Amino acid sequence: SDISCLTTDCSSQMITCNDDKDCSIDCTGRQMDCSRSIVICPSGNHDCTITCDEYESCVDMTINANSTNGGNLLVEGKGGDRHLQGLTVYCPQNGDCTIKCASEKASYAGCTGMSVYSQETTKSLSITSYKGGNYILSALTVYCPTSDGINPKCTIDVQDESYVAKMNNVKIYAKQGLNDVSLTCILHCYDSNLNRPIIYCEENYEESCTLSLMSDWQCENGNDDICNEVI
């Protein structure tokens, strides 16, 4: 089913996809489009795609793909300041969960304060900032799927090098620590040591460490921190 919010105000609405087909929701028509809305993705083996653009589009939106089994979820924020801010995402079973931030233009404080929850059977979780922006992805909370011990299923990728504080206060929950996460951010990732990302690991996330960017990302105490390389 195709749901267009170009001419209809979808803010603060319950948007429910049909269960028997792929679902695409277009929130690119106006500023603050689809803000505070709740999206229920199709159940079963069907894809769910949400596209957001402009200032504060999809702010405080909740996307629930918990019942999607075999289908993929794609959330694309093309740009606009504060787009996808406060977004909450529940990823699908046995499918890919992909979130794109600032895919076409830079965004001040875009994708800040997001909460993303994978399931144990989520095939992959990818959160990528393309064009970037100051504070983009800051205050992100993400629960990663557990890897097979060889390749991480969880990717956080900040591709631009121009902006600042892009990963301030990020919290990553990954049972096998850095073995579960591919983390890319080259420059200006946090604006002070107090705002560095934190990773939580072990079965109940009872261990944690503060991450530091050296030649690569690692726990500040290296292998003395359990989360540096839990298997």
Side-chain angles (χ1 to χ4, degrees):
S1 55
D2 293 328
I3 300 171
S4 175
C5 299
L6 297 178
T7 57
T8 301
D9 185 1
C10 294
S11 298
S12 302
Q13 300 295 312
M14 176 75 77
I15 304 172
T16 303
C17 297
N18 292 333
D19 272 342
D20 58 351
K21 60 182 69 175
D22 294 346
C23 184
S24 178
I25 302 170
D26 188 342
C27 299
T28 63
R30 61 175 65 83
Q31 294 184 357
M32 302 179 72
D33 210 358
C34 297
S35 59
R36 300 176 302 281
S37 61
I38 298 174
V39 174
I40 307 299
C41 289
S43 62
N45 187 18
H46 299 289
D47 294 340
C48 189
T49 302
I50 299 98
T51 308
C52 307
D53 197 6
E54 302 300 340
Y55 171 79
E56 290 193 357
S57 59
C58 303
V59 163
D60 294 330
M61 172 186 271
T62 297
I63 301 170
N64 191 337
N66 269 342
S67 295
T68 302
N69 193 341
N72 301 316
L73 172 63
L74 169 62
V75 183
E76 180 175 6
K78 293 185 175 182
D81 290 349
R82 299 185 177 88
H83 76 289
L84 300 186
Q85 191 175 72
L87 176 75
T88 300
V89 174
Y90 298 94
C91 294
Q93 308 170 53
N94 300 303
D96 298 323
C97 190
T98 304
I99 301 169
K100 299 180 179 181
C101 296
S103 65
E104 294 185 357
K105 52 194 174 186
S107 166
Y108 174 81
C111 298
T112 58
M114 294 195 306
S115 299
V116 183
Y117 303 89
S118 71
Q119 301 192 56
E120 279 299 321
T121 57
T122 299
K123 289 172 63 177
S124 71
L125 170 55
S126 172
I127 302 171
T128 305
S129 164
Y130 292 86
K131 299 297 183 180
N134 292 334
Y135 301 103
I136 200 158
L137 290 188
S138 62
L140 166 71
T141 297
V142 55
Y143 284 79
C144 291
T146 303
S147 76
D148 57 8
I150 301 174
N151 298 308
K153 295 181 180 179
C154 190
T155 301
I156 303 171
D157 186 357
V158 181
Q159 295 188 355
D160 75 273
E161 300 180 9
S162 303
Y163 298 96
V164 301
K166 294 166 291 192
M167 292 187 63
N168 270 9
N169 301 308
V170 167
K171 295 181 179 179
I172 302 168
Y173 292 82
K175 292 183 177 181
Q176 295 183 154
L178 286 173
N179 286 295
D180 278 346
V181 188
S182 173
L183 184 59
T184 303
C185 182
I186 305 299
L187 290 172
H188 313 304
C189 303
Y190 42 85
D191 56 11
S192 79
N193 284 337
L194 294 176
N195 293 328
R196 287 181 294 169
I198 297 175
I199 188 168
Y200 298 84
C201 67
E202 297 282 63
E203 187 64 29
N204 297 308
Y205 307 113
E206 64 268 24
E207 298 287 344
S208 67
C209 76
T210 301
L211 296 175
S212 295
L213 179 57
M214 298 177 188
S215 58
D216 202 353
W217 285 94
Q218 63 180 29
C219 290
E220 61 180 345
N221 296 314
N223 288 341
D224 289 338
D225 287 318
I226 290 176
C227 294
N228 210 55
E229 48 178 31
V230 177
I231 295 293

